[in-house]
Amino acid sequence: MRSLVPWPGVAAALILVGCGAASDRALPVELGASRCGNVAERPWCDARLDPAERTRLLLAAMTLSQKIDLMAGDHFLGVATSDPATGTVNGIPELGIPPLYMSDGPAGTREGISTAFPAPIALGASFNPELAYDMGKVIGREVRLKGNDLVHGPTVDIMRTGLAGRTFETYGEDPYLATRLGVRWIDGAQSEHVIGNVKHYLLNNQEGQVGAPPLLSLIGGRHLISAMVDERTLREIYLPPFEAAVKEAGVGSVMCAYNLINLQPACSHRHLLQGVLRDEWGFDGFVVSDYLLAVKDTVMSINNGNEIEMPVGFFYQPAEIQLAVATGLVSEATIDVRVGNILRTLFRFGFFDRADFPSDDGLIDYPAGDLAARRVAEEGMVLLKNNGVLPLNSATRSIAIIGKPATTYHNVGGSAAVTPWRYTSAVDAITARAGSNVTVTYDDGSQPARAAARAAAADVALVFVGDNAKEGTDKTCLALDCPPFWMGPLLSSPQKNLIEAVVSANPHTVVLLELGGPILTPWRDRLAGLLTTWYGGQATGSAVALVLFGDTDPGGRLPVTFPDAESQTPTAGNFLQYPGQLVAQYSEGVFIGYRWYDHQGIAPAYPFGFGLSYTTFAASDLTLNLVDGRVRATWQITNTGTRAGSTVGQVYLGKPMPEPGVEQPPSALQGFKKIDVPAGAAQTVSVDLDDAAFAYWSESQNGWRVADGCYAIRVGFSSRDLPLTAAVVRSDSGWRIDNACASSSLASRAVASDAGFFTEPPVPPISGKQG
Ligand code: BGC
């Protein structure tokens, strides 16, 4: 999607405040000459041979201890110092095996000065896979230009609870959305010749309540918690982004998680690592453990599928592996499989057949990165409320900007932290964009009365507030002001008080939320406008200015549900579900995110998929076609307003109950299209639904099945705004379009789940266009 910058002065003003205007110049990848060695002495160095043959030749030349050397990282402190990289596996020069350098991460390179993208949840809000490609590509390029071979990203864990400390690192609560974005992020990163490392496999859905009483801090924590989950939930909710990363993007590596799943550590989980990942999906890359004690033993981890322990070998120390082999607990053939997976992937990515990637920041096109970061920030911004105060226009003569986030770069803690190349604050960008005829004042908001006085003196007040989520610890509540446990009970609500003081002084108050995930918004009714910027990265200020003044239509749609009350959330009120004690029961099953709210009939504050534009859109003329075994939904989106704008057409599927007792979410996202539409114009949009979209995981048959029955296909602009409905019926004789069945199926869902719902009479298949 492009910015809608209608006149050159805007662009000029933003260049002045440093939003970056350089074109996204593609740097040629200079791969250089092979560093493997002489083919006559080292036949595996012959690049004409295929990776499997080269691997066979190299393994045959290696001693057991050389093989074992490749199975663990070698630099403990790299994760803290990035020296020589976040993670390093030393090479074996006598065999022509170079060192393998790994870098974080999903929001930018965590080494030196980098392009600091918005938190990945903003990419989730963009609903734009092509932007994911661009983000992955810029990060992949910087990872490479800092001398690395592998990038620890993307994070495709699904948000189960908004309390999870790393919610900001995810693409939100929906597996389909995370899948589409994750695949293109990996495509982008791997197009730069670095190996993608998709993470965290699997169910790293909480960090733990650090400092919580009694015992919770450790045993609800990510290193020890065991997610207790059924197979259907794994397959339908948590596995799809990883499956697509393997099958569609050909990701080179997978990071196994700290936590346990059904009492088995993720890094030695035979079912997930061998059964699902390799046997079913055909993954032929390598598994890298998460850092520091994700690997919990030697023998099972090696036998069940983890190739490399990071950052160093605790359980993969040479002596331990040698002992395991000597005692027959691990066979040498298994070591060959593990090391073979590493080598074959390195051959596949051309790792042996090029020079070292130079580590030279001078080669990085930082202005291009800045522009890419700004585009993600713009397209991820979600306008939740607007009573007409936005976009700001020439009638606005004075603006009061309030709150520290308007001047301060928000760097997330942990492995997604990035040191930005430059930072454009909202105050600077808004001041530049407003121009000399508009008075802009700033107050840090530390004294609500003073801030209110400033607000009262201005036409419009912009209040910047936010939360502070981090890796390593969960949030204790979803309120805006939510102190960690060690601060004791909540005594004050400084940001809430600030909002209330300002809105009392000036009704034209817009609140800007710098967030890592969903929060509660009990003050929203009093506001004139509400805009979620997420943790917006280095170019957040420029993006905020563009959106506030309407140079860019707010491009984001919520990738997470904003609840109305904490008690509404899927895991609320049940300690066994979250945070758990050693085990966390995923008893909500597939009903997470909007699936939960829909199933329970709960009205959230703001639903998944929701976001306003500065114009209005209508959807019409939904038709279904059966095309090559797929169902194609086609409809019209009309811009019914007077400005150009962007929107996200969304397709949700309501499935019949396939087996007694197997309840289905009322609707689940199965397609979306983000489009720009000029004022008054209409665009035709279509989305194809294949068997995978219609399938459910049958526990009784241990496989994917498409049930007979009526499938409601609902189209619109959010999970709660689906004005168009059509339907297809599946039976022994194939598919038939039958819109009438949708109303009865939706009605039956609304009252209760009904086993009769899937007993549609058999019908002949119909092809061609149907109404
Ligand atoms: C995180 C990973 C990260 C690694 C290296 C771990 O704590 O969970 O996501 O890649 O550190 O920084």
Side-chain angles (χ1 to χ4, degrees), residues 398 400 402 449-461 501-507 509:
S398 55
I402 294 158
R450 190 185 64 200
R454 294 244 167 145
D459 292 336
V460 173
V502 172
V503 80
S504 299
N506 186 336
T509 293

Side-chain angles (χ1 to χ4, degrees), residues 314-389:
F314 288 97
F315 288 100
Y316 280 26
Q317 285 184 32
E320 289 166 327
I321 301 182
Q322 293 278 7
L323 183 64
V325 173
T327 53
L329 292 170
V330 171
S331 70
E332 223 177 312
T334 300
I335 299 289
D336 281 359
V337 170
R338 299 274 82 84
V339 177
N341 289 338
I342 301 169
L343 296 174
R344 198 178 49 252
T345 308
L346 297 180
F347 282 124
R348 170 159 85 88
F349 277 79
F351 173 82
F352 288 81
D353 309 319
R354 57 166 170 83
D356 294 346
F357 288 144
S359 178
D360 182 355
D361 283 6
L363 296 172
I364 294 176
D365 186 348
Y366 284 114
D370 196 56
L371 189 58
R374 195 198 80 199
R375 285 181 51 229
V376 176
E378 285 171 39
E379 288 210 33
M381 250 170 237
V382 188
L383 183 62
L384 294 173
K385 181 172 182 189
N386 185 15
N387 72 358
V389 67

Side-chain angles (χ1 to χ4, degrees), residues 527-543:
L527 307 177
L530 183 59
L531 181 71
T532 300
T533 67
W534 313 108
Y535 305 147
Q538 68 181 45
T540 185
S542 308

